[in-house]
Amino acid sequence: MSHYALECVECGRTFSDDSLLRCPRCGGLLEVALDYDAIEVDRRTLERRELGVWAFRELLPVSTDDPVTMGEGGTGLHPCPTLADELGVRSLHVKNEGENPTGSFKDRGMTVGVTKAVELGAEVVACASTGNTSASLAAYAARAGLTCAVLLPAGKVALGKLAQALFHGARVVPVDGNFDDALAVVRRLAEEGLVYLLNSVNPFRLSGQRTIAYEICRQLGWEVPDAVVVPVGNAGNISAIWQGFLDLRALGLIDELPRMYGVQAEGARPIVDAVLEGREDIEPDPDPETVATAIRIGNPVNAVKALRAIRCSGGWAVAVTDDEILRAQRKLATREGIFVEPASAASIAGLRRLVEAGEIEPDESVVCVTTGHGLKDPEIVMETCELPEPVEPDPERIKERLGLR
Ligand SMILES: *Cc1c(COP(=O)(O)O)cnc(C)c1O
Ligand SMILES: [Zn+2]
């Protein structure tokens, strides 16, 4: 007997065929449901292992001892007292996912998803991507010796991510359209059996992303933060992190659950609107726009799960402006030494809003997930930095320029 099954999030039926990407009965999304009775883990065992995705192998839906891995996860959970003070919360930790092998949390999903692709005998893996999914998949496909096909919204992918996808040897197709259009096409190719799909409709990928929650709990000595704040695009990550906390509680490793907060950009906020209006599903936005390209998504496929996570946990969702995002990005860099890409900084900008609104209280502990590395998008940063004029290598001139008198 396996320690997991695939469960439909719409009709609740379960299946044991790992090649499924939708419920064969109702077309709903599938999620990995762990059989908690079949899993034996305890805190002591987990603590003895080096932190990372595969430290939690009993909770991952694969059977191989030989995963496609580059040491993903094990990212820092950094205390940020200066920002905590400024934002008005008791404690703030940043879970900095930019420290993953290709620079975003997508690697947690891909190590599991590509391992499953190999298990299933796939030859071509594919994704639509705002950038980081393609960078990650291209790297893991290269490592596994698979062909990688990538569809990107033309002209809307940050330079670093594009460089990664191209350089790892993916077949890259820019699409005249946005992410949602590209995803619709690649889902079609997957249904025709031409490619194995690794977008966040893939339940195995999202299982890997649950390890963000597992790691946060272990890093906090199995204490659970009051609130977890996550940037939301396609809404897979916030759903996965919530499920991760549910897993740990079901296994008796933690007692409490955090409230989950989603943050979107003003120009791409279908989840926020659904939360504000108390709806169970979203109204897609055909024309999303934001400087935070990683969350420039108008029709998040995991919306139903994310809305459930936010509601069941007692959380909320907020939108932030591009200006707030860029200011938060700079603040994190200059006050705490953490350089993240714009989408990631949305979590910090969102926290400010949530504290102001009284959603998060001054005596509470907060974890903000920063999803990707700042070097992914150097262009946006250089737009706001002035490149200084060169001077001669003369100590006096240089002292003057540095303001050292
Ligand atoms: C993918 C990504 C997101 C959005 O995650 P979803 O699971 O699509 O909600 C946010 N930030 C960064 C940097 C990403 O790469
Ligand atoms: Zn179903």
Side-chain angles (χ1 to χ4, degrees), residues 8-13 15 22-30:
C8 173
V9 303
E10 302 288 346
C11 74
R13 287 190 181 87
F15 306 93
R22 283 178 193 261
C23 173
R25 301 295 289 274
C26 79
L29 287 180
L30 297 172

Side-chain angles (χ1 to χ4, degrees), residues 104-106 130 132-133 161 200 205 209 231-238 294-295 297 341 343-344 371-372:
S104 83
F105 71 82
K106 301 300 197 299
T130 60
N132 281 330
T133 299
K161 307 175 189 183
S200 58
R205 200 191 115 184
Q209 291 171 214
V232 172
N234 222 6
N237 207 31
I238 190 170
I295 52 174
I297 292 175
E341 68 169 285
S344 309
T371 41

Side-chain angles (χ1 to χ4, degrees), residues 12-13 37 73 112 122 129 154 168 197 250 293 313-314 335 388 398-399:
R13 287 190 181 87
D37 294 330
V112 179
S129 176
H168 285 300
L197 185 63
T293 48
S313 71
R335 302 274 213 284
I398 289 178
K399 275 191 251 173

Side-chain angles (χ1 to χ4, degrees), residues 42 70 80-81 116 136 161 171 185 201 212 237 244 288 309 320 354 368 371 374 378 396:
D42 56 66
M70 297 189 265
C80 292
K116 181 58 69 177
S136 182
K161 307 175 189 183
R171 298 182 187 169
V185 175
V201 296
I212 294 178
N237 207 31
V320 292
L354 290 162
C368 282
T371 41
E396 289 313 311

